[in-house]
Amino acid sequence: MSKELIRLRDCVMSYGDELVLDHINLYINDKEFLTLLGPSGCGKTTTLRIIGGFLSPTSGDVLFDGVRINHVPPHQRAVNTVFQRYALFPHLNVFENVAFGLRIPKADADGRKVKLPERDIQERVMEMLSVVNLKGFERRPVSALSGGQQQRVAIARALVNRPRVLLLDEPLGALDMRLRKDMQNELKRIQQEMEITFIYVTHDQEEALAMSDTVVVMDGGRIQQIGTPEDIYNEPKNAFVADFIGESNIIDGIMRSDGVVEIFNRKFQCLDKGFDKDEPVDVVIRPEDVDIVDEAAGQLKGTVTSVTFKGVHYDTIVDFYGFKWLIQTTDFCPVDSRIGIKIDPDGIHVMKKSEYSGMFGDYSSYSEEYEELDVVEDESQEGEGDDPWEDGYEE
């Protein structure tokens, strides 16, 4: 069973009247890869800086191994940090950049300053360069390295002091997409090989899902949900999480009974239970969970308004009488074609209404990727017999 290493207990951070963190409660296990995920300004970097000792919370406690460390300075914490800007020393080569922290005398048990023997420095630096796959680069100037190699130097420099926790503040932000993906795998490998706790900050959902043991989704200075990547994606707690993690179609619904939800005036079978009878809810349907069928066989019927080829699938926007859905499918459906859709019960996820309800609805209204500004035609122009709710789920 995992051992708790860090706990933030009711932490508040404010600057005058501006509330940056609103009563954060979070624990982090030893040897865990935890990611703080959220949009800019959500409080994730502030949370990281509080853990690192660069900030003290306005109120609340920071515990490390059960000991309160609110006022312990960064250099006295078993924590090190890798920033988005690597802050390498341009006048030093790779070896000396990594060795820099080891050459600073440390206080022993009696308070005397003691230097680490040069032989130990040599061994530890070479060990770290091997871990980050930079063996043979030790004499190169850092200015001659690629962005990915410079990042590896920064990671090696942070790890060479053998911290128990490594904090990473959007360290892949300066890299191109291909290199980012490569470094995601490298960071996970390094974390598992070193068996230390990684706390990672990003606004990139793909990074969070690919690397993390645990994802903490934040917005407005509050934690919205904590869970595994699978839980966060498949079981979002509210409309914000559903929208921020992956693509989503979020629809107003009514929970008629356990396992039966009504959307668009039609009843659909689902797997969710425990709601009040006739309780208003938010319903999230992922684009990949929608099957396109012939119009006559569909639970709902609509008109294709946009198709974008994505390589392995088509991103298809379908208008259901003014409400647009994104469907990801390998079937090509031309623009203006009429289609039907079917959704299996496990493709429907029901959520409680929240402060985010109504903010993320019609797909085209909040997607930056699709800007469909066409005015929806009047229903009378769609033709006779075009009821989109015909042949829906029969109770």
Side-chain angles (χ1 to χ4, degrees):
M1 186 174 179
S2 299
K3 175 190 174 185
E4 180 183 312
L5 182 63
I6 296 171
R7 179 174 288 271
L8 303 182
R9 188 166 60 199
D10 206 29
C11 282
V12 173
M13 191 72 200
S14 60
Y15 298 96
D17 294 333
E18 182 184 2
L19 186 63
V20 179
L21 291 183
D22 187 3
H23 298 279
I24 296 293
N25 287 282
L26 172 67
Y27 70 87
I28 302 162
N29 289 323
D30 193 23
K31 302 178 183 178
E32 181 177 27
F33 197 126
L34 180 139
T35 297
L36 301 172
L37 174 67
S40 298
C42 72
K44 56 188 186 293
T45 295
T46 299
T47 302
L48 194 79
R49 290 174 65 81
I50 286 174
I51 294 171
F54 302 104
L55 293 173
S56 293
T58 305
S59 63
D61 297 316
V62 183
L63 306 176
F64 193 101
D65 245 352
V67 178
R68 188 175 184 272
I69 59 168
N70 284 42
H71 302 294
V72 176
H75 68 277
Q76 292 181 9
R77 300 189 184 194
V79 172
N80 220 330
T81 306
V82 177
F83 298 99
Q84 183 174 354
R85 296 181 179 179
Y86 311 134
L88 300 177
F89 300 110
H91 62 290
L92 300 179
N93 61 24
V94 169
F95 183 96
E96 292 302 328
N97 263 279
V98 177
F100 184 84
L102 298 178
R103 298 196 187 282
I104 300 173
K106 304 294 191 300
D108 62 12
D110 298 323
R112 294 174 298 183
K113 296 289 187 179
V114 178
K115 285 187 177 181
L116 192 67
E118 190 62 32
R119 180 176 178 179
D120 291 349
I121 293 176
Q122 180 80 20
E123 290 179 355
R124 286 170 62 172
V125 170
M126 296 309 295
E127 176 189 4
M128 285 302 103
L129 291 179
S130 178
V131 167
V132 299
N133 289 329
L134 284 179
K135 197 170 181 178
F137 286 73
E138 53 269 19
R139 300 304 169 196
R140 289 199 189 183
V142 292
S143 58
L145 302 180
S146 67
Q149 290 167 340
Q150 289 182 7
Q151 187 203 52
R152 291 168 192 257
V153 174
I155 293 170
R157 184 176 64 183
L159 291 175
V160 78
N161 286 317
R162 298 174 179 170
R164 293 185 64 185
V165 179
L166 186 64
L167 309 179
L168 301 106
D169 190 3
E170 305 212 41
L172 306 185
L175 305 181
D176 61 50
M177 183 178 295
R178 178 64 182 271
L179 194 52
R180 285 171 73 103
K181 291 184 180 296
D182 290 343
M183 285 307 302
Q184 288 171 17
N185 295 328
E186 281 297 293
L187 285 173
K188 187 62 179 175
R189 178 191 64 80
I190 292 168
Q191 187 263 338
Q192 292 174 338
E193 183 175 332
M194 297 297 293
E195 294 189 323
I196 66 174
T197 301
F198 274 30
I199 305 176
Y200 191 94
V201 162
T202 185
H203 62 272
D204 188 315
Q205 50 158 303
E206 182 180 334
E207 284 182 5
L209 297 179
M211 295 189 294
S212 312
D213 300 316
T214 302
V215 178
V216 180
V217 184
M218 300 183 66
D219 185 54
R222 298 190 302 272
I223 293 174
Q224 301 296 325
Q225 187 171 351
I226 302 173
T228 66
E230 293 83 0
D231 289 341
I232 294 289
Y233 186 84
N234 293 321
E235 302 290 333
K237 294 294 186 185
N238 59 38
F240 172 80
V241 178
D243 175 70
F244 195 78
I245 306 296
E247 308 284 4
S248 300
N249 302 296
I250 304 173
I251 307 111
D252 288 332
I254 300 173
M255 202 68 184
R256 293 305 187 189
S257 62
D258 283 350
V260 179
V261 65
E262 182 179 303
I263 55 176
F264 288 150
N265 296 325
R266 300 301 300 178
K267 293 184 176 70
F268 287 78
Q269 290 177 311
C270 63
L271 303 181
D272 298 277
K273 299 179 180 179
F275 292 84
D276 293 336
K277 179 176 173 55
D278 298 333
E279 178 181 349
V281 293
D282 288 331
V283 180
V284 61
I285 299 171
R286 297 292 188 183
E288 68 272 18
D289 290 331
V290 182
D291 292 326
I292 293 179
V293 297
D294 290 337
E295 183 179 1
Q299 292 169 303
L300 296 175
K301 302 168 175 42
T303 303
V304 175
T305 63
S306 173
V307 181
T308 304
F309 180 59
K310 290 291 188 175
V312 296
H313 67 264
Y314 295 96
D315 275 5
T316 303
I317 302 292
V318 182
D319 186 336
F320 295 105
Y321 275 50
F323 193 99
K324 293 185 176 67
W325 288 26
L326 169 66
I327 301 173
Q328 294 175 337
T329 176
T330 56
D331 299 323
F332 175 74
C333 302
V335 172
D336 294 329
S337 62
R338 293 284 296 171
I339 65 166
I341 62 168
K342 283 195 171 180
I343 310 163
D344 291 334
D346 62 359
I348 297 174
H349 175 61
V350 181
M351 306 176 297
K352 290 277 189 182
K353 286 289 185 181
S354 71
E355 63 184 294
Y356 298 100
S357 297
M359 294 176 62
F360 313 105
D362 181 355
Y363 185 81
S364 65
S365 69
Y366 62 90
S367 170
E368 295 179 355
E369 188 173 0
Y370 302 95
E371 295 183 0
E372 295 187 31
L373 302 179
D374 296 337
V375 177
V376 178
E377 294 182 347
D378 185 81
E379 291 185 5
S380 63
Q381 297 178 344
E382 296 289 335
E384 295 181 359
D386 285 337
D387 180 4
W389 304 296
E390 284 180 359
D391 303 321
Y393 164 68
E394 299 275 343
E395 284 188 276

